[in-house]
Amino acid sequence: DNNIIYNFLGSGMCINAAGSGTAGTITNNLLSSTGSAVVTLNSVGYTFKGNYISSANGSNGVTIAANVNPITAFENNVIHSCTSTAGGGLVIGTGGASGTINNLTCWRNTSYGAILGGYGGKTLTVTNLNCFGNSAAGVGIQGCSNGLVILDNATIDGSALY
């Protein structure tokens, strides 16, 4: 909590304890200017709140792996200026996820602001989503076979002035 991580070559944080039931808290951090993915969450039970993520070079800002179900507390995060050519600010793996994401802002990412997916009967709800100035699109939806993505109170704009 309350860290500033700036200008490092590898991934900023990789939480990789999938299925272990391990919980943790990642709050109020500034992570910027990385050589690859800023944050990769491969585990359930984490609280991820109030983080400011920027400038992932050639990668996604935050990747939530498939089968991270449910997303427990992912809220009040800002993700911008990440330069993945096929991903975006926030990317949920093709297997989808369930749970709720609250108060997410994704802006000026090279590709998508957020790529979301629910799969195999899973429901992902995103409330208060604000995406603007992302090159490809504000939001991409993927992997929704028998799943559901609900956008509640989303503001999505393809352009912005700087």
Side-chain angles (χ1 to χ4, degrees):
D1 293 341
N2 302 311
N3 296 293
I4 296 174
I5 302 174
Y6 177 78
N7 202 20
F8 46 98
L9 295 176
S11 294
M13 292 183 180
C14 181
I15 308 302
N16 195 9
S20 69
T22 304
T25 302
I26 303 168
T27 58
N28 303 321
N29 296 289
L30 169 71
L31 297 106
S32 182
S33 197
T34 65
S36 61
V38 178
V39 177
T40 302
L41 299 174
N42 291 327
S43 183
V44 297
Y46 274 83
T47 297
F48 193 81
K49 294 182 180 180
N51 296 291
Y52 188 90
I53 311 295
S54 74
S55 306
N57 185 13
S59 189
N60 306 321
V62 177
T63 300
I64 298 175
N67 301 317
V68 174
N69 295 292
I71 295 172
T72 52
F74 190 98
E75 56 192 53
N76 302 323
N77 296 296
V78 175
I79 306 169
H80 80 89
S81 299
C82 299
T83 62
S84 171
T85 57
L90 170 66
V91 175
I92 294 179
T94 56
S98 66
T100 303
I101 295 172
N102 295 306
N103 303 321
L104 174 64
T105 299
C106 297
W107 60 279
R108 203 175 172 195
N109 294 289
T110 300
S111 194
Y112 293 88
I115 297 179
L116 309 171
Y119 181 81
K122 300 170 189 169
T123 299
L124 175 67
T125 302
V126 183
T127 59
N128 302 321
L129 174 64
N130 185 13
C131 289
F132 63 94
N134 300 289
S135 297
V139 175
I141 306 292
Q142 70 175 1
C144 286
S145 176
N146 298 318
L148 180 63
V149 174
I150 298 171
L151 298 179
D152 182 7
N153 194 33
T155 302
I156 303 169
D157 187 352
S159 62
L161 298 175
Y162 301 103

